[in-house]
Amino acid sequence: MSGKARASRGRGVPRLGRYALRAASLAVALGVWQLLTSLDIDLWLRFSQFPTVADVARTFTDRLSGPDYWTDLTDSLTRILTGFLLAAVLGVAAGVLVARSRLAEDLLGPILEVVRPIPAIALVPVAILLFPSNEQGIVFITFTAAFFPVLVSTRHAVRALTPGWEEAVLTMGGGRWRILASVVLPGALPGIFGGLSVGIGVSWICVISAEMISGQYGVGYRTWQDYTVVNYAGVFVGMVTIGVLGWLTSTAVELLGRRLTRWLPRTSYVALGRAPRRVNRAAAAVPASPTTQEGVPHDQLV
């Protein structure tokens, strides 16, 4: 077996073990849920009010066979993706502009800092008054929720860039747009995707809340309707659907970020109590000079 094949096999075994551990933890959590609810355990928390895992699974199966579930799923995904993509584009553009232009910071900074602390869900009355349809208002709430995390992360990432990189491009005859494309955006990508990861999670919270308040169709709307008719199994179906959708979209953003920042060094997981080993390939390729017991090269001894 070649060295490359052995290395690939060595990486595959721990990865399978991690997947098995994750599946086991999920199975244990579901088993505890089923046990507490089926036995009607009431200590301080009232598990007797909860539906069992079996009840939720039956309701979920029934929902999958009907058209309403898929309509709700499509509507929520359309709203979240539309608002999030708008926030990603405008948030990155505004963050770079505020970080790179003193005039833009003076003009836009006070307005953004005043609006930023306002929870996006508190803007639902504004959206109802401002937009002619509930659909546009929900997209606006989703956009607002993701816009400010992306804006703030981009601004900080751009301001943290090393000035020497920009000076090197200027020395080689590059202009403003060359600096933006070669230094600012690539250098700020890790911070930008940090903001995008936060933004997609906050967007899901706000879009579900907006659907509960003023939506027609959508996972949030259906979950609230189930609660009003005391269908708790349906409520948990909505919660599980929201969790899975949020996990999938967050994972997609993270994978895209890792792919676009492949040039960054990665630190692997290490055992507890051990420091990560970093190998300097350039130094390893150079033969080490003879040293004394204290580690000082002979040619440096006085």
Side-chain angles (χ1 to χ4, degrees):
M1 182 181 296
S2 65
K4 185 176 181 180
R6 284 195 299 268
S8 177
R9 182 180 177 182
R11 288 193 300 266
V13 174
R15 183 174 297 179
L16 290 177
R18 291 183 62 197
Y19 289 153
L21 184 61
R22 295 180 183 185
S25 66
L26 181 59
V28 169
L30 292 176
V32 172
W33 176 5
Q34 177 68 25
L35 182 65
L36 293 174
T37 54
S38 61
L39 296 179
D40 294 335
I41 300 297
D42 281 335
L43 297 175
W44 179 59
L45 300 175
R46 299 178 299 174
F47 291 101
S48 60
Q49 305 295 321
F50 272 40
T52 64
V53 177
D55 294 335
V56 176
R58 282 193 296 268
T59 304
F60 187 72
T61 303
D62 294 338
R63 293 284 175 89
L64 289 177
S65 60
D68 289 343
Y69 180 82
W70 300 106
T71 301
D72 295 334
L73 206 66
T74 302
D75 288 348
S76 293
L77 282 174
T78 301
R79 292 161 179 166
I80 194 77
L81 292 178
T82 303
F84 178 72
L85 290 177
L86 285 173
V89 174
L90 297 181
V92 171
V96 172
L97 184 63
V98 170
R100 299 280 299 175
S101 172
R102 188 171 299 174
L103 177 62
E105 183 180 9
D106 293 337
L107 291 177
L108 300 178
I111 300 174
L112 295 174
E113 290 303 319
V114 169
V115 177
R116 183 165 67 93
I118 302 175
I121 196 62
L123 297 176
V124 170
V126 176
I128 294 175
L129 296 174
L130 188 62
F131 293 95
S133 69
N134 288 341
E135 191 71 22
Q136 296 172 351
I138 294 174
V139 172
F140 169 74
I141 296 299
T142 308
F143 160 78
T144 306
F147 173 78
F148 287 103
V150 176
L151 166 68
V152 173
S153 297
T154 303
R155 183 181 63 189
H156 286 300
V158 172
R159 286 177 176 174
L161 294 176
T162 304
W165 299 346
E166 182 175 343
E167 294 172 0
V169 175
L170 291 174
T171 302
M172 293 184 290
R176 180 178 301 177
W177 293 106
R178 183 66 177 177
I179 293 173
L180 182 65
S182 301
V183 175
V184 176
L185 291 179
L189 270 182
I192 291 174
F193 273 96
L196 291 174
S197 297
V198 175
I200 191 67
V202 179
S203 293
W204 272 113
I205 296 173
C206 292
V207 73
I208 295 301
S209 301
E211 289 176 348
M212 289 181 176
I213 296 173
S214 62
Q216 292 181 347
Y217 295 104
V219 179
Y221 170 82
R222 192 67 56 189
T223 302
W224 183 253
Q225 291 301 309
D226 288 330
Y227 173 75
T228 58
V229 298
V230 199
N231 181 11
Y232 294 132
V235 172
F236 275 85
V237 169
M239 292 170 60
V240 171
T241 302
I242 295 166
V244 171
L245 290 176
W247 171 64
L248 290 176
T249 51
S250 298
T251 302
V253 171
E254 182 178 353
L255 291 177
L256 179 61
R258 291 180 67 88
R259 184 172 183 83
L260 293 179
T261 58
R262 286 176 294 181
W263 45 270
L264 283 174
R266 307 290 182 186
T267 301
S268 302
Y269 290 101
V270 295
L272 293 177
R274 296 182 181 178
R277 298 179 60 187
R278 295 181 178 274
V279 179
N280 190 332
R281 296 182 179 178
V286 179
S289 60
T291 58
T292 64
Q293 292 182 354
E294 289 78 14
V296 181
H298 283 291
D299 56 358
Q300 294 182 11
L301 294 176
V302 179

